[in-house]
Each structure stands twice: as C-alpha cells, then as structure tokens.
Amino acid sequence: MDYKLQVRVQSHLEQMGSLDDRSMGDLDDECLYSAEMDAQKTQSTDSNEQVSLSSSLPVAGNKMIRNGVYKSIKTVVFSNKLNLLMPFGPLAILVHKMTAHNGWVFFLSLLGITPLAERLGYATEQLAFYTGPTVGGLLNATFGNATELIISIYALKSGMIRVVQLSLLGSILSNMLLVLGCAFFCGGLVYPGKEQAFSKATAVVNSGLLLMAVMGLLFPAVLYYTHTERHAGKSELALSRFSSCIMLLAYAAYLVFQLKSQKDLYVPIGEEGSQNEQNANDDDDEAPEISKWESIIWLAIMTAWISILSDYLVDAMQGASEAWGVPISFISVILLPIIGNAAEHASAIMFAMKNKLDISLGVAIGSSTQISMFGIPFCVVIGWMMGQEMDLNFQLFETATLFITVIVVAFFLQEGTSNYFKGLMLILCYLIVAASFFVHEDTSSSGESKQPKT
Amino acid sequence: MDDQKSNHHNNKSIDLDDSPPFVRIHSHAEIGSSEERAVLELEDERLNSCDSITRKKHPFKETSSSDICHMKCKNSLWNSIKIVIFSSKLNILMVFGPAAIIVHKTTGYHGMVFLLSLLGIIPLAERLGYATEQLASFTGPTVGGLLNATFGNATELIISIFALRNGMIRVVQQSLLGSILSNMLLVLGCAFFSGGLVIMKREQVFNKAAAGVNSGLLLMSVMGLLFPAVLHSTRTELHFGKSELALSRFSSCVMLFAYAAFLYFQLRSSKKLYDMESKTETSDDDEAPEISMWEAIVWLSILTTWIAVLSEYLVDAIEGASTALKIPVAFISVVLLPIVGNAAEHAGAIMFAMKDKLDISLGVAIGSSTQIAMFGIPFCVIIAWIMGQPMDLNFQLFETATLFLTVIVVAFMLQEGTSNYFKGLMLILCYLIVAASFFVHVDLDSVDYLSYNPSACGNKNHIHDLKMNITESVGKTKT
C-alpha cells in the first residue's frame, strides 16, 4: 500500500492544479471499476457540492442527500465484482444463529470478510487523498493490515493467544512467499524475454527490518527453549513487552525515514519517461471518487462490519478445526491469511504483469514488514493493556520457520531482478511450509481455553 | 589458450542473463582434424577429461555433430580399451578394485576391504564421468544435459542405493550430507585458494548470477531439510513417526519438481544464449567424441556395474572398518567417503581455477552440491519409499544445523562475485572445523551406539529403548 500511495501522492502533488481537467482524461483509463463510474464521479462531486450549498432548500436538499447516499453506495458497494461475496457475511450470522455448525460459520464468515477487507483498503486510499501525503502514509501504514489486526484483537479478547501468534505469522509467511512468488512467477511468464528489475534499496531496507523482527522474536523463544530465563514465565513476558516497544519505535522511525526520503526514493518511478507514463501509472483513479466525509463514514462502517464478522470467525475456529479434522495451527497459519489477503494477492499479481514490480513488492514485502514490525508488537501492547499474557515467544518451530523464510527471501531479493523461476521457487517453498504446518501439532495451545467474553 | 582467454573476456562483456559464459563453442571446422587431435590429446597429462568437468557446469551445451566423426571414431576393441582405460594415469588405482574383492574373500578384514574398495572406486567414478560425457556429445544438448545432470553424481547415488538396501539409512543421509559439505567447503576452498595463489595480482571473478541461483536452490533444499528436523526435535508432529515421513516424501516431490524446473530454466537460457552467439571460436578441449555412441553406452554400463559391485563391498565393510580403525561411522560417512569419492572432481576444480577458469570450478563445486541437495537426496527418499525403507529428510538437528550454517557462509562468500586465496583458505578452515566436529560426534541414531555399547549389540529394539530413555530423561529435566 505504501508504494501505491506514494506513486499517487507524487503525481497528486504535481497535478493538483489540473485535477478537474484531468479527471475526464483519467476516466478513459482502464480501471478496476465499472464504466458507470465515469458519470457518477462528477455527479457525486456535484451532488456533494449541492448538498453543502443547499441549506436553504431543505426539500431539494433532502432529495439530493438521498441521491448522494445512493450514489455513494453504488460507488463503494456495487462497483467491484469481488463484492458478490458480501452476502456471505450476513449468511454466516444466520447460520450461526440457526444451526451453529461451526465449520460452515467459519467458512462463510471468512468469505464474507474478503470483500470487506478490500473495500476497507479502498476507503483508506480514498481518505488518503484528502489528508495529504503524511497522514495518508500513516493511514495506509496503519490500516493496511487492519483486517488482520481486528481479527487478532478479537482473538486476544477471547484469550486465544496462540491463534493470534499463528495468524500473524501466517500472514507474514504468505505475503513473503506466496504473494511475492506468484507476482514474480506471473510477471516472469508475461515478460519472458528479460528479467524484471525492482528497486534494490527499498527491498534491502525491508529485508533488514524483517530480520530485526525475527531477532525480536527469536530471543524470547530461545530463552524459553533453553530454560535459561531468570524468572520462569515472567521474564519472557517482560522481555517481549520491552522488545515490542522497541520494535514500534523502529517502525515509527521507518515511517519518518520513508516519508522524508520519498521524493528522492520514488523519483525513478515518476521519471519513467513522458507525462503519458505518469498518466498510465495512475490507471487507478487519481481523483478521489467519494468525498472526505463519505470515506470516513465508509471506513467506520467497514471496520464495524469486519469486527462483527471477526467475532463470529474467531468463535467458530475451534469447532471448524474439529469438524474438518485439520489442526488449528494449519487453519491459523495457512487458511486465514490466504483468504484474508486475497485482494492484495490479486493486485500484486496484476501489477507484476503490468511490469510495475516495485508496487507488487511494496504490497507483498511492505505488508510483511508492517505486520512484523507493527502488527505483532501492537498486539503485544494491546494484550498488555487487556491483561492478556501475549508474548513474543512463538515457539521454536514457528520461529525457526520465520527465520529460514526471511533468510531465503532476503537472499532472493538482494539481487534486484526477478524471473519466473525465482517466483516458482518461492511458491514451492510455501508449499513445503504449508505441508509442514499440516502435520504440526501445536502442543502449547492444547492447554488454552477460551475465556468467556465480558 | 589465448583464444580461450579472449573468448572468456568477450563473454564477460556481453550482458548475459543467467547463463555462465561458455568455454567451448560450436565448431564444425575442427571435426576433420579430430582424430589427429585425439591422438595428441592422449599424450596430454590430465587427470580428468576436461569435458566431464565442463559438462557438469552447463549440461546443455551443444557440441559438434558427429556424422563425419562417426566413421573415423569407430574403434576396434583394443583401441577402445586403450582410450578408456589406459589413457588416464588415475586408472592405476583400478587394480585395487579386484584386490578388495580378493581380500574380502580371503581374509574378511573389513578395514582393508573398505580402504581398497574406496581406492578402487575413484578411477571408476572418473571414467564414468568420461563415458557420460562422450555419450552426451552424441545425444544432443537436451538429453545430454539431462544425462549429465543425473549421472553427475552417479557414484554417490549408487553407494546410497546399496546402503538403503541394507537399511543403513543414517549412512545414506550422512554420506549425501558430507558430499554437499565437501563440495561446498573443501573443493571450492581449494579451488579459490590455489587459483588465488597462482593469480596473485588481481582477484578472480566469476558469474554472480549463476552462483546466486545455485545458492538460492541450496537454501531451498535446506528449508526442505529443516522442517522435518525441527518438527522431530520439538516433538510437535501430529502422528509420531508418521508425520515427518509423509512430510519428507511430499517435500522430496516438491524438490524434485523444483530441480526439473531448474533444468528447464537452464535449458531455455542456454538456448537463448546460443542464438545470441554465433562465434566459431575453438577450444583446446577435445570437441569431437573419442569413442562411438555404442561404445559409450557399453562402457557406461560396464563401469556402472563395476561401481555397483565395489559399492556393495564398500557398504558391507563400513561398520567393520569403523570398529577396526576406531573411527565413528558418522565421520567415515560424512568426511572420508565424500573426499575420496570426489577426488577426481576435486582435482579438476583446482586445475581449472589455476587456469583462471573459475566459472568451471564453481560449476563443478556448487553445481554438484546443488545436484545432490535438490536431486540426490529427494531421489533417495523416493527410492526408499519404493523399497519400503523409512528414509526421511530428518537429518537430525546437528547435521541439519551444520548444513544450514555452511550454506549461509558459502552463499555469503559467493555473493560478491570475486575470489582470492584468503576466501579459499577460510572455506578450507571451515571444513576442518566441520570435520573435527563430526570426529567427536556420536550419532544416537546409528550403529555408533552399538560400538560404544557392546551389550546392545544386534538388538535394534534395545537401541530404540535407550534412545527413548535418553530423550525422556532430557525432557524430564526440561519440565
């Protein structure tokens, strides 16, 4: 998300003057949304202006508001084909109330969350247009993985600490191996002649951050495994909380660093040639499609919806694992992240096939960095505040998995080029990881019981 | 030689993607004089056929067509034997093979049988590479490349299959591991070291991209080996004993698939390279094959059979030799077997490094490691599956950790793209450390335990109980 935002922000800054003129030009670009959008965009901005100016005409104003609401819903909800999955959300709630068949509830709520996650990302981006680059970057950095964070917070509230650890870990693994591998693979197949290049500097910085996160996770795990902590049980917790604060500080510094140097770092993308290139870069709409308040409202609505569905999801996880005969660790590490990340996955592949590998890399590796340096420590701190004992000790098997994965990916990235074979290798590595989690029994979670919610 | 060097430098200036520069190029012009050159070449003192070394590095090179040569190369039986057997000085060691069998039949002294069969296998392994090379020049680039990719480490695979048949799974794991370690550290280190000593003024360069791809594959294979080992050592598998086996077999299939994709990828980029280059420069290595196709096939099968026979004696004698020579079986499998088995490749790599053809040395060393890691080990797991032996990828934590560290160290050293004698020295010293640690390493899973606990001789259940006792007591102290 960071890369995408910065591309836009760059051109946003340069083309703010000619926004309205260009909006018509942009409409012809290929975009993810239906062509109906073209007329609606100008209409919605018109109707919004009319809404703000029509305080003296209440009757006409109400009609306009209703039109505005309808158009807004049309823009946000009906424009994307992925939103066909939306009905699964309420369906999951119905099934839960009626049959309480956990397997189905889990599956349906998972499917229901997918489009909501995508729309949440969309609303965040729209809001970012209005808030300028700084806050916009922060927004993306925080809400980029809001879905995973919301699910994790609900799981924390239920005391399912292991699920939180495993699902965050699985998110990192799937982003680094599966999403990146698919992007490299598809990009390499579409461009078989030469190798695609990406910005080595950013990839290396992200790899460094990931390694630092692994270090933060490794020490509590090794401390526990070698039984050399000073106060059994309390030491790792204290160490984990301290390390989390440090990691959050590092992430904040990373954001400052990125925002400060974004002009230098991202000039290569802008200088790809002519203005046409820049216009083509923004084949997603440059101008916002919904107004600022609309995006805030939609953000709130989406977040609320995701929270509700996450609640049912987390409740149903244990039952689903028993119903399907699949270990909970497999569900948390493999299934949850793959489906939760489906939208990002698709967009990364799409960008790679358009030869914009930097953006794909930003989606994949940036997301991993975000989760490992922000998501995990954030959950530890939230757990601290809730009184839950979440620590950074992910148990040796999971930590070793993360360690070897980060090393493999860091190694692949350091060259700065990609081809379909590298993508294939990453995907195959993910298969091996998934297979090992399929036969992995999590001994530490057998003693965990779900605490009743207050 | 000058053509060689200029060719080498020319290759460097071309912006190639993944393929290393080729040393031997398609040349029709040389065919006419091939027979004269063949006679001249016989006189050269060379430990190996340079062809076999080059082949291993890029298996998919084209060589000249053999139509004209076919008539000239049809040798009589005596000539054929002369070319294959008497041309290389290494073949003096061949007599040790029958000597080993004789010793086994007469005295049954395991230590001597082991040593003699080991010495006897060395020349056979080298000749096998030569015969493969010759056959590959008849079959065209694709099949030739596949031949080299498979038979490159045929000796190790044959020894491993015999060990598997005897149920000596640990020996298989350790000998394959030792092959990888010795190739990555010892052979590469010696090549860098001697090359650096000979070429003192500047650092030697090699193709970073190819080294990077190989390092990536090695890391992937370490990943495949790491998960079963960690699963076992943290005792978190779902079904004790069965999970790692299933995981290992699945991972082996994935790794074999990745290796096939790697071969395909190499083939495509080498074909692309050949379209780009249309030079007719020649090389001083023998371009034309020396023996006909049927001769090559016949010799291939004869040598393979011989190696199989000797391997059987070798494998049978390992345990006895370990007791007689007072060396742990782990040390024999990990250090001795591969050093001796790889002797020919070792010498070839050093020789090429001293001739400033570091890419070929790298191809021999790292290419061989990649082959064993991504093809040899999974292949053995599959063969064991077919045989019904429970071989898995769980090489035990110590061995897996060793492999992991080694791969990281070597990948790090290779990423720069240059070499000097100091890097070589570091690699050799790393190998010394690894060898020393295996010298004092007792393998709980293997028959070492038998030799150190004579009361437990011949009772596998007892071994299992002892192991369980130990792990339980360790577990108790932990909780």
Side-chain angles (χ1 to χ4, degrees), chain B residues 138-168:
Chain B
F138 289 103
T139 57
T142 325
V143 184
L146 279 173
L147 267 180
N148 268 294
T150 323
F151 276 85
N153 289 294
T155 323
E156 276 99 350
L157 286 181
I158 293 175
I159 297 180
S160 302
I161 291 178
F162 272 100
L164 270 181
R165 252 193 20 192
N166 281 6
M168 303 165 77

PDB file of all heavy atoms in Angstrom, chain B residues 138-168:
ATOM      1  N   PHE B 138      26.823 -37.304 -28.322  1.00  0.00           N
ATOM      2  CA  PHE B 138      26.071 -37.909 -29.418  1.00  0.00           C
ATOM      3  C   PHE B 138      24.597 -37.597 -29.340  1.00  0.00           C
ATOM      4  O   PHE B 138      23.890 -37.692 -30.328  1.00  0.00           O
ATOM      5  CB  PHE B 138      26.227 -39.442 -29.391  1.00  0.00           C
ATOM      6  CG  PHE B 138      27.594 -39.905 -29.778  1.00  0.00           C
ATOM      7  CD1 PHE B 138      28.481 -40.324 -28.817  1.00  0.00           C
ATOM      8  CD2 PHE B 138      27.992 -39.908 -31.095  1.00  0.00           C
ATOM      9  CE1 PHE B 138      29.746 -40.746 -29.176  1.00  0.00           C
ATOM     10  CE2 PHE B 138      29.247 -40.338 -31.464  1.00  0.00           C
ATOM     11  CZ  PHE B 138      30.136 -40.753 -30.492  1.00  0.00           C
ATOM     12  N   THR B 139      24.131 -37.313 -28.151  1.00  0.00           N
ATOM     13  CA  THR B 139      22.681 -37.274 -27.986  1.00  0.00           C
ATOM     14  C   THR B 139      22.094 -35.879 -28.099  1.00  0.00           C
ATOM     15  O   THR B 139      20.922 -35.701 -27.912  1.00  0.00           O
ATOM     16  CB  THR B 139      22.292 -37.821 -26.607  1.00  0.00           C
ATOM     17  OG1 THR B 139      22.985 -37.037 -25.630  1.00  0.00           O
ATOM     18  CG2 THR B 139      22.671 -39.264 -26.462  1.00  0.00           C
ATOM     19  N   GLY B 140      22.888 -34.874 -28.386  1.00  0.00           N
ATOM     20  CA  GLY B 140      22.309 -33.556 -28.487  1.00  0.00           C
ATOM     21  C   GLY B 140      22.228 -32.882 -27.127  1.00  0.00           C
ATOM     22  O   GLY B 140      22.394 -33.526 -26.106  1.00  0.00           O
ATOM     23  N   PRO B 141      21.951 -31.593 -27.148  1.00  0.00           N
ATOM     24  CA  PRO B 141      22.068 -30.837 -25.897  1.00  0.00           C
ATOM     25  C   PRO B 141      21.070 -31.233 -24.828  1.00  0.00           C
ATOM     26  O   PRO B 141      21.432 -31.349 -23.656  1.00  0.00           O
ATOM     27  CB  PRO B 141      21.834 -29.384 -26.332  1.00  0.00           C
ATOM     28  CG  PRO B 141      21.137 -29.480 -27.632  1.00  0.00           C
ATOM     29  CD  PRO B 141      21.587 -30.730 -28.275  1.00  0.00           C
ATOM     30  N   THR B 142      19.819 -31.461 -25.216  1.00  0.00           N
ATOM     31  CA  THR B 142      18.805 -31.704 -24.195  1.00  0.00           C
ATOM     32  C   THR B 142      19.092 -32.974 -23.417  1.00  0.00           C
ATOM     33  O   THR B 142      19.311 -32.964 -22.209  1.00  0.00           O
ATOM     34  CB  THR B 142      17.421 -31.837 -24.852  1.00  0.00           C
ATOM     35  OG1 THR B 142      17.345 -30.961 -25.960  1.00  0.00           O
ATOM     36  CG2 THR B 142      16.338 -31.544 -23.857  1.00  0.00           C
ATOM     37  N   VAL B 143      19.094 -34.101 -24.149  1.00  0.00           N
ATOM     38  CA  VAL B 143      19.302 -35.370 -23.470  1.00  0.00           C
ATOM     39  C   VAL B 143      20.688 -35.403 -22.844  1.00  0.00           C
ATOM     40  O   VAL B 143      20.894 -35.960 -21.771  1.00  0.00           O
ATOM     41  CB  VAL B 143      19.127 -36.539 -24.461  1.00  0.00           C
ATOM     42  CG1 VAL B 143      19.250 -37.853 -23.754  1.00  0.00           C
ATOM     43  CG2 VAL B 143      17.783 -36.430 -25.143  1.00  0.00           C
ATOM     44  N   GLY B 144      21.653 -34.770 -23.528  1.00  0.00           N
ATOM     45  CA  GLY B 144      22.999 -34.733 -22.970  1.00  0.00           C
ATOM     46  C   GLY B 144      23.031 -34.008 -21.646  1.00  0.00           C
ATOM     47  O   GLY B 144      23.661 -34.458 -20.686  1.00  0.00           O
ATOM     48  N   GLY B 145      22.327 -32.888 -21.624  1.00  0.00           N
ATOM     49  CA  GLY B 145      22.268 -32.161 -20.369  1.00  0.00           C
ATOM     50  C   GLY B 145      21.616 -32.977 -19.284  1.00  0.00           C
ATOM     51  O   GLY B 145      22.084 -33.009 -18.141  1.00  0.00           O
ATOM     52  N   LEU B 146      20.517 -33.633 -19.641  1.00  0.00           N
ATOM     53  CA  LEU B 146      19.832 -34.468 -18.652  1.00  0.00           C
ATOM     54  C   LEU B 146      20.749 -35.581 -18.162  1.00  0.00           C
ATOM     55  O   LEU B 146      20.797 -35.886 -16.971  1.00  0.00           O
ATOM     56  CB  LEU B 146      18.574 -35.087 -19.269  1.00  0.00           C
ATOM     57  CG  LEU B 146      17.371 -34.145 -19.306  1.00  0.00           C
ATOM     58  CD1 LEU B 146      16.242 -34.776 -20.079  1.00  0.00           C
ATOM     59  CD2 LEU B 146      16.909 -33.860 -17.891  1.00  0.00           C
ATOM     60  N   LEU B 147      21.483 -36.189 -19.084  1.00  0.00           N
ATOM     61  CA  LEU B 147      22.421 -37.247 -18.695  1.00  0.00           C
ATOM     62  C   LEU B 147      23.414 -36.745 -17.666  1.00  0.00           C
ATOM     63  O   LEU B 147      23.632 -37.373 -16.633  1.00  0.00           O
ATOM     64  CB  LEU B 147      23.188 -37.728 -19.935  1.00  0.00           C
ATOM     65  CG  LEU B 147      22.631 -38.912 -20.695  1.00  0.00           C
ATOM     66  CD1 LEU B 147      23.539 -39.216 -21.858  1.00  0.00           C
ATOM     67  CD2 LEU B 147      22.545 -40.121 -19.789  1.00  0.00           C
ATOM     68  N   ASN B 148      24.006 -35.594 -17.975  1.00  0.00           N
ATOM     69  CA  ASN B 148      24.988 -35.055 -17.051  1.00  0.00           C
ATOM     70  C   ASN B 148      24.373 -34.691 -15.726  1.00  0.00           C
ATOM     71  O   ASN B 148      24.961 -34.914 -14.676  1.00  0.00           O
ATOM     72  CB  ASN B 148      25.650 -33.816 -17.658  1.00  0.00           C
ATOM     73  CG  ASN B 148      26.895 -34.181 -18.394  1.00  0.00           C
ATOM     74  OD1 ASN B 148      27.855 -34.625 -17.780  1.00  0.00           O
ATOM     75  ND2 ASN B 148      26.864 -34.055 -19.696  1.00  0.00           N
ATOM     76  N   ALA B 149      23.166 -34.124 -15.810  1.00  0.00           N
ATOM     77  CA  ALA B 149      22.529 -33.719 -14.564  1.00  0.00           C
ATOM     78  C   ALA B 149      22.233 -34.927 -13.693  1.00  0.00           C
ATOM     79  O   ALA B 149      22.253 -34.836 -12.476  1.00  0.00           O
ATOM     80  CB  ALA B 149      21.239 -32.960 -14.864  1.00  0.00           C
ATOM     81  N   THR B 150      21.944 -36.060 -14.281  1.00  0.00           N
ATOM     82  CA  THR B 150      21.608 -37.240 -13.495  1.00  0.00           C
ATOM     83  C   THR B 150      22.843 -38.028 -13.106  1.00  0.00           C
ATOM     84  O   THR B 150      22.997 -38.415 -11.954  1.00  0.00           O
ATOM     85  CB  THR B 150      20.676 -38.162 -14.316  1.00  0.00           C
ATOM     86  OG1 THR B 150      19.791 -37.376 -15.075  1.00  0.00           O
ATOM     87  CG2 THR B 150      19.924 -39.094 -13.408  1.00  0.00           C
ATOM     88  N   PHE B 151      23.711 -38.280 -14.090  1.00  0.00           N
ATOM     89  CA  PHE B 151      24.864 -39.135 -13.813  1.00  0.00           C
ATOM     90  C   PHE B 151      26.020 -38.387 -13.178  1.00  0.00           C
ATOM     91  O   PHE B 151      27.033 -38.994 -12.868  1.00  0.00           O
ATOM     92  CB  PHE B 151      25.345 -39.790 -15.119  1.00  0.00           C
ATOM     93  CG  PHE B 151      24.576 -41.034 -15.459  1.00  0.00           C
ATOM     94  CD1 PHE B 151      23.380 -40.943 -16.141  1.00  0.00           C
ATOM     95  CD2 PHE B 151      25.041 -42.262 -15.074  1.00  0.00           C
ATOM     96  CE1 PHE B 151      22.667 -42.084 -16.436  1.00  0.00           C
ATOM     97  CE2 PHE B 151      24.333 -43.411 -15.375  1.00  0.00           C
ATOM     98  CZ  PHE B 151      23.145 -43.325 -16.055  1.00  0.00           C
ATOM     99  N   GLY B 152      25.854 -37.065 -13.033  1.00  0.00           N
ATOM    100  CA  GLY B 152      26.962 -36.297 -12.486  1.00  0.00           C
ATOM    101  C   GLY B 152      27.437 -36.857 -11.163  1.00  0.00           C
ATOM    102  O   GLY B 152      28.625 -36.902 -10.881  1.00  0.00           O
ATOM    103  N   ASN B 153      26.493 -37.235 -10.352  1.00  0.00           N
ATOM    104  CA  ASN B 153      26.888 -37.803  -9.059  1.00  0.00           C
ATOM    105  C   ASN B 153      26.454 -39.243  -8.949  1.00  0.00           C
ATOM    106  O   ASN B 153      26.021 -39.694  -7.884  1.00  0.00           O
ATOM    107  CB  ASN B 153      26.265 -36.978  -7.940  1.00  0.00           C
ATOM    108  CG  ASN B 153      26.918 -35.624  -7.851  1.00  0.00           C
ATOM    109  OD1 ASN B 153      28.086 -35.522  -7.519  1.00  0.00           O
ATOM    110  ND2 ASN B 153      26.181 -34.594  -8.183  1.00  0.00           N
ATOM    111  N   ALA B 154      26.589 -39.976 -10.049  1.00  0.00           N
ATOM    112  CA  ALA B 154      26.092 -41.342 -10.063  1.00  0.00           C
ATOM    113  C   ALA B 154      26.755 -42.192  -8.995  1.00  0.00           C
ATOM    114  O   ALA B 154      26.111 -43.052  -8.390  1.00  0.00           O
ATOM    115  CB  ALA B 154      26.337 -41.959 -11.440  1.00  0.00           C
ATOM    116  N   THR B 155      28.042 -41.932  -8.741  1.00  0.00           N
ATOM    117  CA  THR B 155      28.754 -42.752  -7.756  1.00  0.00           C
ATOM    118  C   THR B 155      28.103 -42.656  -6.388  1.00  0.00           C
ATOM    119  O   THR B 155      27.810 -43.679  -5.755  1.00  0.00           O
ATOM    120  CB  THR B 155      30.220 -42.290  -7.658  1.00  0.00           C
ATOM    121  OG1 THR B 155      30.673 -41.922  -8.942  1.00  0.00           O
ATOM    122  CG2 THR B 155      31.076 -43.367  -7.070  1.00  0.00           C
ATOM    123  N   GLU B 156      27.870 -41.393  -5.968  1.00  0.00           N
ATOM    124  CA  GLU B 156      27.245 -41.228  -4.655  1.00  0.00           C
ATOM    125  C   GLU B 156      25.883 -41.890  -4.613  1.00  0.00           C
ATOM    126  O   GLU B 156      25.512 -42.518  -3.619  1.00  0.00           O
ATOM    127  CB  GLU B 156      27.080 -39.738  -4.331  1.00  0.00           C
ATOM    128  CG  GLU B 156      28.295 -39.077  -3.752  1.00  0.00           C
ATOM    129  CD  GLU B 156      29.070 -38.324  -4.813  1.00  0.00           C
ATOM    130  OE1 GLU B 156      28.746 -38.482  -6.005  1.00  0.00           O
ATOM    131  OE2 GLU B 156      29.992 -37.614  -4.445  1.00  0.00           O
ATOM    132  N   LEU B 157      25.128 -41.741  -5.719  1.00  0.00           N
ATOM    133  CA  LEU B 157      23.786 -42.322  -5.718  1.00  0.00           C
ATOM    134  C   LEU B 157      23.847 -43.839  -5.650  1.00  0.00           C
ATOM    135  O   LEU B 157      23.038 -44.461  -4.943  1.00  0.00           O
ATOM    136  CB  LEU B 157      23.024 -41.878  -6.977  1.00  0.00           C
ATOM    137  CG  LEU B 157      22.555 -40.422  -6.948  1.00  0.00           C
ATOM    138  CD1 LEU B 157      21.802 -40.079  -8.206  1.00  0.00           C
ATOM    139  CD2 LEU B 157      21.677 -40.175  -5.743  1.00  0.00           C
ATOM    140  N   ILE B 158      24.779 -44.435  -6.360  1.00  0.00           N
ATOM    141  CA  ILE B 158      24.874 -45.899  -6.347  1.00  0.00           C
ATOM    142  C   ILE B 158      25.228 -46.378  -4.949  1.00  0.00           C
ATOM    143  O   ILE B 158      24.616 -47.329  -4.417  1.00  0.00           O
ATOM    144  CB  ILE B 158      25.912 -46.380  -7.387  1.00  0.00           C
ATOM    145  CG1 ILE B 158      25.405 -46.078  -8.796  1.00  0.00           C
ATOM    146  CG2 ILE B 158      26.172 -47.863  -7.220  1.00  0.00           C
ATOM    147  CD1 ILE B 158      26.396 -46.394  -9.868  1.00  0.00           C
ATOM    148  N   ILE B 159      26.212 -45.726  -4.336  1.00  0.00           N
ATOM    149  CA  ILE B 159      26.577 -46.112  -2.967  1.00  0.00           C
ATOM    150  C   ILE B 159      25.371 -45.965  -2.045  1.00  0.00           C
ATOM    151  O   ILE B 159      25.093 -46.827  -1.202  1.00  0.00           O
ATOM    152  CB  ILE B 159      27.758 -45.259  -2.461  1.00  0.00           C
ATOM    153  CG1 ILE B 159      28.996 -45.499  -3.309  1.00  0.00           C
ATOM    154  CG2 ILE B 159      28.047 -45.543  -1.006  1.00  0.00           C
ATOM    155  CD1 ILE B 159      30.196 -44.705  -2.876  1.00  0.00           C
ATOM    156  N   SER B 160      24.631 -44.874  -2.236  1.00  0.00           N
ATOM    157  CA  SER B 160      23.481 -44.634  -1.356  1.00  0.00           C
ATOM    158  C   SER B 160      22.418 -45.700  -1.544  1.00  0.00           C
ATOM    159  O   SER B 160      21.811 -46.163  -0.570  1.00  0.00           O
ATOM    160  CB  SER B 160      22.882 -43.262  -1.650  1.00  0.00           C
ATOM    161  OG  SER B 160      23.843 -42.262  -1.478  1.00  0.00           O
ATOM    162  N   ILE B 161      22.168 -46.092  -2.795  1.00  0.00           N
ATOM    163  CA  ILE B 161      21.119 -47.093  -3.025  1.00  0.00           C
ATOM    164  C   ILE B 161      21.494 -48.415  -2.379  1.00  0.00           C
ATOM    165  O   ILE B 161      20.641 -49.083  -1.779  1.00  0.00           O
ATOM    166  CB  ILE B 161      20.855 -47.251  -4.533  1.00  0.00           C
ATOM    167  CG1 ILE B 161      20.202 -45.973  -5.055  1.00  0.00           C
ATOM    168  CG2 ILE B 161      19.957 -48.434  -4.806  1.00  0.00           C
ATOM    169  CD1 ILE B 161      19.944 -45.979  -6.531  1.00  0.00           C
ATOM    170  N   PHE B 162      22.775 -48.779  -2.449  1.00  0.00           N
ATOM    171  CA  PHE B 162      23.175 -50.020  -1.794  1.00  0.00           C
ATOM    172  C   PHE B 162      23.040 -49.929  -0.289  1.00  0.00           C
ATOM    173  O   PHE B 162      22.632 -50.881   0.379  1.00  0.00           O
ATOM    174  CB  PHE B 162      24.614 -50.379  -2.171  1.00  0.00           C
ATOM    175  CG  PHE B 162      24.677 -51.194  -3.410  1.00  0.00           C
ATOM    176  CD1 PHE B 162      24.994 -50.611  -4.616  1.00  0.00           C
ATOM    177  CD2 PHE B 162      24.376 -52.536  -3.375  1.00  0.00           C
ATOM    178  CE1 PHE B 162      25.023 -51.354  -5.771  1.00  0.00           C
ATOM    179  CE2 PHE B 162      24.407 -53.296  -4.521  1.00  0.00           C
ATOM    180  CZ  PHE B 162      24.725 -52.708  -5.725  1.00  0.00           C
ATOM    181  N   ALA B 163      23.392 -48.759   0.251  1.00  0.00           N
ATOM    182  CA  ALA B 163      23.239 -48.592   1.694  1.00  0.00           C
ATOM    183  C   ALA B 163      21.768 -48.657   2.089  1.00  0.00           C
ATOM    184  O   ALA B 163      21.414 -49.210   3.137  1.00  0.00           O
ATOM    185  CB  ALA B 163      23.854 -47.259   2.117  1.00  0.00           C
ATOM    186  N   LEU B 164      20.908 -48.085   1.250  1.00  0.00           N
ATOM    187  CA  LEU B 164      19.477 -48.141   1.536  1.00  0.00           C
ATOM    188  C   LEU B 164      18.990 -49.573   1.574  1.00  0.00           C
ATOM    189  O   LEU B 164      18.203 -49.959   2.447  1.00  0.00           O
ATOM    190  CB  LEU B 164      18.691 -47.380   0.463  1.00  0.00           C
ATOM    191  CG  LEU B 164      18.438 -45.898   0.719  1.00  0.00           C
ATOM    192  CD1 LEU B 164      17.628 -45.334  -0.428  1.00  0.00           C
ATOM    193  CD2 LEU B 164      17.709 -45.709   2.018  1.00  0.00           C
ATOM    194  N   ARG B 165      19.482 -50.363   0.640  1.00  0.00           N
ATOM    195  CA  ARG B 165      19.044 -51.756   0.596  1.00  0.00           C
ATOM    196  C   ARG B 165      19.398 -52.485   1.868  1.00  0.00           C
ATOM    197  O   ARG B 165      18.686 -53.371   2.320  1.00  0.00           O
ATOM    198  CB  ARG B 165      19.677 -52.458  -0.603  1.00  0.00           C
ATOM    199  CG  ARG B 165      18.671 -52.730  -1.680  1.00  0.00           C
ATOM    200  CD  ARG B 165      19.078 -53.641  -2.744  1.00  0.00           C
ATOM    201  NE  ARG B 165      20.179 -54.514  -2.451  1.00  0.00           N
ATOM    202  CZ  ARG B 165      20.789 -55.204  -3.387  1.00  0.00           C
ATOM    203  NH1 ARG B 165      20.374 -55.093  -4.620  1.00  0.00           N
ATOM    204  NH2 ARG B 165      21.797 -55.978  -3.097  1.00  0.00           N
ATOM    205  N   ASN B 166      20.516 -52.085   2.463  1.00  0.00           N
ATOM    206  CA  ASN B 166      20.903 -52.702   3.728  1.00  0.00           C
ATOM    207  C   ASN B 166      20.202 -52.067   4.913  1.00  0.00           C
ATOM    208  O   ASN B 166      20.459 -52.439   6.050  1.00  0.00           O
ATOM    209  CB  ASN B 166      22.420 -52.541   3.942  1.00  0.00           C
ATOM    210  CG  ASN B 166      23.199 -53.555   3.144  1.00  0.00           C
ATOM    211  OD1 ASN B 166      22.615 -54.286   2.365  1.00  0.00           O
ATOM    212  ND2 ASN B 166      24.500 -53.588   3.352  1.00  0.00           N
ATOM    213  N   GLY B 167      19.372 -51.063   4.650  1.00  0.00           N
ATOM    214  CA  GLY B 167      18.682 -50.405   5.748  1.00  0.00           C
ATOM    215  C   GLY B 167      19.549 -49.425   6.505  1.00  0.00           C
ATOM    216  O   GLY B 167      19.197 -48.983   7.589  1.00  0.00           O
ATOM    217  N   MET B 168      20.717 -49.064   5.958  1.00  0.00           N
ATOM    218  CA  MET B 168      21.609 -48.143   6.654  1.00  0.00           C
ATOM    219  C   MET B 168      21.229 -46.722   6.262  1.00  0.00           C
ATOM    220  O   MET B 168      21.963 -46.019   5.579  1.00  0.00           O
ATOM    221  CB  MET B 168      23.061 -48.436   6.285  1.00  0.00           C
ATOM    222  CG  MET B 168      23.453 -49.861   6.593  1.00  0.00           C
ATOM    223  SD  MET B 168      24.994 -50.326   5.793  1.00  0.00           S
ATOM    224  CE  MET B 168      26.173 -49.536   6.843  1.00  0.00           C
TER     225      MET B 168
END
